[in-house]
Amino acid sequence: MSNEVRLVRLFVSSVANGIQDDTPNEVGGNATSPFYLMIEAAAGTTAGNNKVGYTLVIRACSTSGTNTTFAPVVRHEQAGDPNSHWNLTTPGVSNGYVKSSVLTVDAASFEPDGLYEFVGMLRLGDNTASWVRSNEFLII
């Protein structure tokens, strides 16, 4: 994995940096906004040290036929760049990099009573790509 950069996991939560939540806009029985999408990625030592560039694309889709107006998010970033939330896997040791970041999501971009998921794609300059789907979630 020394040259590899890949998307590892996406999941939604009702709180920033929280745990996976299948009803992220419901807190204490009440609908709230916003909710949060956690983004996790990994990069090899060589890719992180060389700040390999990539494009991250996040889209939302309905799995139940409802509609979403969530606008795709496109970010042009570099692996290993602390400004893009990359850190060494083990501080002080050159053994790879991990990314953990949070995207704030407006619940109003999703029709109530619908099931949705996010799809993320990370594409490198040589057109290799990795992709993941988030947990399926219900908007209250």
Side-chain angles (χ1 to χ4, degrees):
M1 181 173 148
S2 65
N3 291 313
E4 187 176 300
V5 183
R6 63 187 172 90
L7 200 52
V8 175
R9 184 176 180 214
L10 298 175
F11 65 95
V12 295
S13 180
S14 58
V15 297
N17 297 312
I19 60 170
Q20 182 173 313
D21 189 343
D22 295 333
T23 54
N25 77 318
E26 183 271 326
V27 177
N30 299 310
T32 63
S33 188
F35 64 95
Y36 303 90
L37 176 66
M38 284 357 110
I39 303 166
E40 297 177 356
T45 302
T46 303
N49 288 348
N50 291 318
K51 306 293 188 267
V52 169
Y54 63 88
T55 300
L56 176 64
V57 179
I58 306 286
R59 298 181 190 275
C61 59
S62 171
T63 59
S64 62
T66 50
N67 294 309
T68 177
T69 59
F70 179 85
V73 173
V74 179
R75 294 182 177 167
H76 302 284
E77 301 177 332
Q78 294 177 318
D81 181 1
N83 293 320
S84 297
H85 307 281
W86 285 94
N87 295 294
L88 285 168
T89 302
T90 306
V93 177
S94 187
N95 64 347
Y97 291 80
V98 292
K99 174 185 177 75
S100 182
S101 62
V102 178
L103 178 66
T104 302
V105 180
D106 182 3
S109 296
F110 300 85
E111 283 184 8
D113 300 321
L115 291 172
Y116 302 90
E117 68 182 356
F118 285 99
V119 178
M121 188 213 25
L122 188 150
R123 186 177 60 242
L124 299 172
D126 66 0
N127 287 324
T128 57
S130 65
W131 57 92
V132 296
R133 296 177 181 275
S134 74
N135 58 306
E136 192 174 52
F137 58 94
L138 173 68
I139 293 297
I140 303 296

